[in-house]
Amino acid sequence: MIRILTDSASDILPAEAQQLGVTVIPLNVTLEDGTVLRDGMDLTPGEYYAHLSSCRKLPTTSQPSPELFRQFYLEADAAGDEVLGIFISHELSGTFQCANLAADLVNVDNVRFVDSDNVCLGEALLVRLALHLRDAGKTLPEIAAALENAKEHLHLIAAIDDLKYLRKGGRLPAAVAVAGGMLGIKPLITIKEGKVALMGKARGLPGAYVTLFKKMEELGGVNPAFASIAGYTVSPREVQPLQTFLRENTDAPAPLLRQIGCVIGTHAGPGAFGIAFFDKELVLD
């Protein structure tokens, strides 16, 4: 059996993880009073965003303990199972390195890793693809190779209400944040080479939607053969225009709808929304 392992930056909450048959290792969020929360477990995203909007100091996020990975590897090894780990981009978190270190410490050879070079909704799509390939009978090396190919056709586009969260969290250079933070301007970001990058700017919320739709087409359009995911922070209403656009202008199925979790929401900030999809050039054997 192949066990699929990921981290909570994928925003796969416990109930969905159980349904899918995937194990999620939680990252940590430390509040300004020193309280440490396990992402996706100790506070709902809705509760967290209510707290985040009133914070004077931005909460900090941190990678999991290697011990959590070590225990998982040992359990899998004892059961004779293989492990495929799919993690947040190593450019954005030390989680990938931590997972590798834990495997080295326990000295097991049943583990394979894929750096998603992505985060959040994009990371979740790779996890779902891995589960599909596993259930189709693919071997561990075959799944890992397919994911390495698929991530070259994976796109995440998000509209950000306020870039100060990304700037304060060190995920976006201050100069870029200032350029995207002019009055009335809604920045669009993406993940490029594993890092957060400014993709474009639009005036006001209606302009942000229109620009996002154009960027989706420029990136090759949504591949109808694979799932896409629309994500919101505060309210599902944030992605209703996305759902409408896909329904009326593409042959793609309705996107999955997910709330962006605490770790990613700390850096994206309340009011952020986006979509992850595979472009039409992706073909799997």
Side-chain angles (χ1 to χ4, degrees), residues 20-38:
L20 293 173
V22 60
T23 298
V24 179
I25 300 292
L27 278 72
N28 301 307
V29 178
T30 303
L31 304 181
E32 55 189 332
D33 66 358
T35 301
V36 179
L37 303 174
R38 294 171 299 171

Side-chain angles (χ1 to χ4, degrees), residues 51-62:
H51 174 84
L52 182 63
S53 61
S54 63
C55 281
R56 292 174 297 176
K57 182 181 179 182
L58 189 69
T60 58
T61 58
S62 58

Side-chain angles (χ1 to χ4, degrees), residues 73 83-87 96 99-100 103 111-115 144 148:
Y73 300 151
V83 175
L84 176 62
I86 305 164
F87 303 112
F96 183 80
N100 276 269
V111 181
R112 195 76 175 258
F113 300 106
V114 172
D115 184 340
E148 291 294 342

